[in-house]
Amino acid sequence: MTRRRWKTYQPNSLRDALEGCKLYARDRHNLSVERIAELMGLVDHWALYKWIQNGRFPTNLLTPYERVCGINLVSRWMAANNGKLLVDIPTGRNASAGDIQELQARLHEVTGLLMGFYQGRQNADETLAGIQCAMEQLAWHRGNVQQHQQPQFDLE
């Protein structure tokens, strides 16, 4: 089984986003559903299984769920589903050569997805997910260039 590329993964449904968060927590942080529920302050981990299974997750627990899992797939899906982009807040730091190469690779990949889609070899969901990720990455660089005049402190 190949590893998911979490940085560019775009969920296609709420249930897929909830499941993706759970899988990320397992893959990257070695957290079980029981441990996620415990860190969220839930008494019963079976409730978490039920919410993920049927997609009816309490809104007030979405942010703690994403924080414990370490990835914001539900927020990404909600933004994309409403025609919005979700962009990390730029800090105004200088971009490294790796940042620019990553952007170039993403744009090249999306161009390939578009060519494949218009030739009938690529499905719409994967193409849209690729376009969404590329636009978010470009929007971050746009904000970073704007913020470069007044950079933030690097507190992380």
Side-chain angles (χ1 to χ4, degrees):
M1 182 171 115
T2 60
R3 289 181 59 110
R4 268 202 179 126
R5 291 174 35 191
W6 291 108
K7 192 170 189 177
T8 60
Y9 178 71
Q10 185 67 38
N12 56 20
S13 69
L14 177 59
R15 186 172 177 194
D16 186 34
L18 292 167
E19 181 74 20
C21 285
K22 180 185 71 140
L23 292 174
Y24 180 87
R26 186 192 66 204
D27 291 350
R28 296 290 168 92
H29 304 294
N30 200 24
L31 295 175
S32 64
V33 173
E34 292 81 5
R35 184 73 176 132
I36 294 170
E38 180 183 328
L39 291 171
M40 287 176 59
L42 297 177
V43 177
D44 184 16
H45 70 276
W46 293 109
L48 190 56
Y49 275 116
K50 181 180 76 172
W51 296 332
I52 292 171
Q53 189 266 331
N54 65 21
R56 292 178 172 232
F57 210 95
T59 307
N60 62 332
L61 293 176
L62 284 175
T63 301
Y65 179 66
E66 287 182 330
R67 283 203 179 129
V68 168
C69 291
I71 193 166
N72 62 352
L73 293 179
V74 178
S75 298
R76 282 190 214 171
W77 177 81
M78 289 188 336
N81 195 45
N82 288 301
K84 308 293 183 208
L85 293 176
L86 189 65
V87 180
D88 291 334
I89 297 173
T91 59
R93 68 170 172 79
N94 284 336
S96 68
D99 293 334
I100 303 302
Q101 287 172 339
E102 186 179 327
L103 175 65
Q104 185 179 13
R106 178 81 48 247
L107 294 175
H108 181 72
E109 179 183 322
V110 168
T111 303
L113 288 172
L114 283 169
M115 289 169 50
F117 176 75
Y118 288 123
Q119 293 173 357
R121 294 181 286 116
Q122 189 68 41
N123 72 29
D125 287 340
E126 290 178 8
T127 305
L128 288 171
I131 292 170
Q132 182 83 16
C133 289
M135 288 188 337
E136 288 173 356
Q137 209 166 3
L138 272 172
W140 182 88
H141 280 284
R142 178 185 180 275
N144 199 46
V145 169
Q146 283 179 327
Q147 188 68 28
H148 192 72
Q149 297 298 324
Q150 298 174 340
Q152 304 291 318
F153 291 114
D154 189 13
L155 300 175
E156 293 180 15

